[in-house]
Amino acid sequence: MELSTSFSPLYSGLRSSSRSRVKLLSTIFAPPVVLANSARFSTIPPHVGRFNRGNDIPLGIGSVRQRKLKKNPFFVPRASAMENPGTSSYGDPDMRILSGAAIAVVLAVANRVLYKLALIPMKEFPFFLAQLTTFGYVAVYMSILYFRCRLGIVTKEMLSLPKSPFLAVGALEAIGVAVGMSAGAMLPGPVIPILTQAFLVWQLVFSSIILRRNYSFNQILGCLLVAGGVIIALSSGLSGGQLLSKEGLFWPLLMIASTAFQAAASIIKEFIFLDAAKRLQGKPLDIFVVNSFGSAFQALFVFLLLPFLSNLKGIPFAELPGYMSRGAGCFLNSGSEIGCEGAPLLPLVYMLVNMSFNISLLSLVKISSAVVSSLSVTLSVPIAIYIFTLPLPLIPRGSSLDAFFLIGTGVLVLGLMIYNLPRSTKTPSKAN
């Protein structure tokens, strides 16, 4: 459930800087809501969708080193050690992954822009909008799942998959939100999007530990350059490194730790697809199974944490029912609140695009990997920043782009190119 890769932007924006430029960057870079959240191999192309009969390891898209997986004390994924997700054995990009990544980037940009627009009428009730998306999506996803079951798309075998991974996803994402909000309440707004770049690094670590995946030097370097490029782009206007002078190290480290929960959840989603490919004997796992159960368990844990989360947002738990009632009135634009013009159209459009983004992101994880999907979403950051410099409805024109942004964007694109460098597979010649 932002990166998306990853805590939701609905929970961010906890403290802002005095500079409008920095506040804008902090707002739009908050990781998007991925409710089944914020995931591969259920759909395996015919030319690579086979199993290594010796090792029972599914061969995925990309140059694959066939080897037996080491036993993991927590997870035993039946997965391939995919060296370079997104490339074929001949070094050419898989067009399904390229098109999926392009769709994810477009929807990620639209998601960030529409989130800002949706908050204009709901500016006094962001916590209401957060809960509406969290619990509303459960009803939507479960309804879709029900009809797909009736149509025979979702089978009983899919529904009977072990629920412990889904439970882990929901718990990790809910805890990540709670921990991130605790740290965000104590940190200046501009540093939050910078600290959350640790999400990509955590993904690499957990992917190696949980999925036993090996990454090449160029992939690791590419991911680090992507994270560094975003940090440089977001560093525009920061006040000489003095932003954290009063906070110490505890709260920044806590914010970095919160991204670890989100990253672990994204890797477990990928594990679910990998494991299902074996349990279902190669039959694709429907993404709405993951979306529905993941969002349901996250909603459960968010509900249990509501007293804590509402207090973090400055809403005493005893006053929460009245706050939610006023938020519903504003959302429906019933006239009970002033300044809610634009509702419910803008929030509904945002929720529709956000749901489409969640589905596209999970589909990308399904055919590639969680790291590839995270890189695609990261690419949307400078694009969204640029769009916010243009005239938009209800939003005044932003500040012009400076050298930090241009250099950071260049480093980010370089990192993506390095990560996706084709790797040719050479078959050793056999001696006669």
Side-chain angles (χ1 to χ4, degrees):
M1 292 192 191
E2 172 203 230
L3 226 122
S4 238
T5 5
S6 328
F7 43 99
S8 158
L10 298 174
Y11 295 105
S12 61
L14 297 167
R15 183 184 294 182
S16 60
S17 167
S18 59
R19 301 189 180 188
S20 59
R21 163 70 172 160
V22 177
K23 289 170 65 178
L24 172 62
L25 298 181
S26 176
T27 301
I28 68 173
F29 185 70
V33 183
V34 182
L35 297 173
N37 259 300
S38 270
R40 112 181 188 201
F41 288 128
S42 13
T43 304
I44 304 177
H47 66 287
V48 292
R50 58 190 185 278
F51 285 85
N52 181 331
R53 296 182 179 178
N55 297 331
D56 283 339
I57 301 175
L59 300 181
I61 306 168
S63 54
V64 181
R65 181 195 306 171
Q66 299 181 11
R67 63 181 180 86
K68 292 185 178 180
L69 298 176
K70 299 179 181 179
K71 185 176 181 181
N72 188 286
F74 301 102
F75 298 95
V76 187
R78 300 163 178 84
S80 63
M82 188 168 62
E83 298 288 347
N84 191 9
T87 59
S88 70
S89 57
Y90 300 98
D92 297 325
D94 187 292
M95 294 308 298
R96 290 195 312 136
I97 297 179
L98 287 179
S99 59
I103 293 173
V105 170
V106 171
L107 289 174
V109 173
N111 187 65
R112 297 179 190 279
V113 174
L114 286 169
Y115 167 69
K116 179 65 175 178
L117 293 176
L119 280 183
I120 293 177
M122 301 294 296
K123 61 182 178 181
E124 300 297 330
F125 303 98
F127 191 69
F128 169 83
L129 189 58
Q131 307 318 310
L132 180 63
T133 55
T134 299
F135 294 97
Y137 285 5
V138 176
V140 173
Y141 285 137
M142 284 296 183
S143 299
I144 296 175
L145 182 65
Y146 171 77
F147 285 108
R148 293 175 78 84
C149 289
R150 294 291 300 270
L151 294 173
I153 300 174
V154 175
T155 64
K156 293 181 179 179
E157 291 77 14
M158 294 180 188
L159 297 177
S160 63
L161 289 174
K163 300 302 184 294
S164 54
F166 298 106
L167 180 67
V169 167
L172 287 169
E173 290 182 334
I175 294 173
V177 168
V179 174
M181 286 182 63
S182 299
M186 304 301 297
L187 291 171
V191 305
I192 294 176
I194 294 178
L195 293 175
T196 54
Q197 289 308 298
F199 177 85
L200 185 56
V201 179
W202 283 119
Q203 275 193 324
L204 287 175
V205 173
F206 291 135
S207 180
S208 300
I209 295 174
I210 298 176
L211 302 180
R212 297 295 184 183
R213 178 164 299 140
N214 293 328
Y215 288 94
S216 64
F217 173 77
N218 67 282
Q219 289 176 308
I220 296 174
L221 177 61
C223 285
L224 294 178
L225 284 175
V226 168
V230 176
I231 291 174
I232 295 173
L234 294 173
S235 297
S236 173
L238 297 186
S239 56
Q242 301 300 315
L243 287 174
L244 293 176
S245 59
K246 298 180 180 180
E247 282 73 18
L249 291 177
F250 176 76
W251 296 112
L253 291 177
L254 190 64
M255 176 62 71
I256 293 174
S258 73
T259 65
F261 293 102
Q262 298 289 334
S266 69
I267 296 300
I268 294 176
K269 289 176 187 176
E270 184 179 353
F271 162 80
I272 292 173
F273 282 101
L274 292 168
D275 186 59
K278 176 66 176 181
R279 293 179 181 272
L280 302 176
Q281 299 180 346
K283 186 173 183 178
L285 174 63
D286 191 80
I287 61 172
F288 284 98
V289 175
V290 182
N291 265 330
S292 300
F293 286 111
S295 60
F297 281 116
Q298 183 183 2
L300 172 63
F301 284 100
V302 167
F303 177 77
L304 296 175
L305 292 171
L306 265 182
F308 174 72
L309 296 175
S310 64
N311 283 320
L312 281 177
K313 295 299 293 183
I315 307 168
F317 187 65
E319 300 177 9
L320 186 60
Y323 170 88
M324 300 297 283
S325 177
R326 295 192 302 273
C330 182
F331 176 79
L332 297 173
N333 199 11
S334 61
S336 59
E337 296 291 339
I338 300 176
C340 298
E341 291 77 12
L345 179 60
L346 287 176
L348 285 176
V349 171
Y350 160 71
M351 294 173 66
L352 178 62
V353 172
N354 180 256
M355 189 177 299
S356 301
F357 167 69
N358 296 335
I359 295 171
S360 70
L361 192 64
L362 197 59
S363 299
L364 181 59
V365 175
K366 175 180 174 179
I367 63 175
S368 60
S369 72
V371 173
V372 170
S373 65
S374 180
L375 289 170
S376 301
V377 175
T378 303
L379 180 60
S380 70
V381 176
I383 301 176
I385 294 175
Y386 171 75
I387 290 178
F388 274 102
T389 65
L390 304 175
L392 294 173
L394 305 179
I395 298 180
R397 184 180 179 86
S399 59
S400 59
L401 304 178
D402 57 13
F404 278 99
F405 175 83
L406 298 177
I407 294 174
T409 301
V411 173
L412 185 152
V413 174
L414 177 63
L416 290 173
M417 293 174 60
I418 292 177
Y419 181 88
N420 289 287
L421 283 177
R423 302 182 64 199
S424 60
T425 55
K426 297 182 181 179
T427 304
S429 59
K430 296 182 180 180
N432 295 327

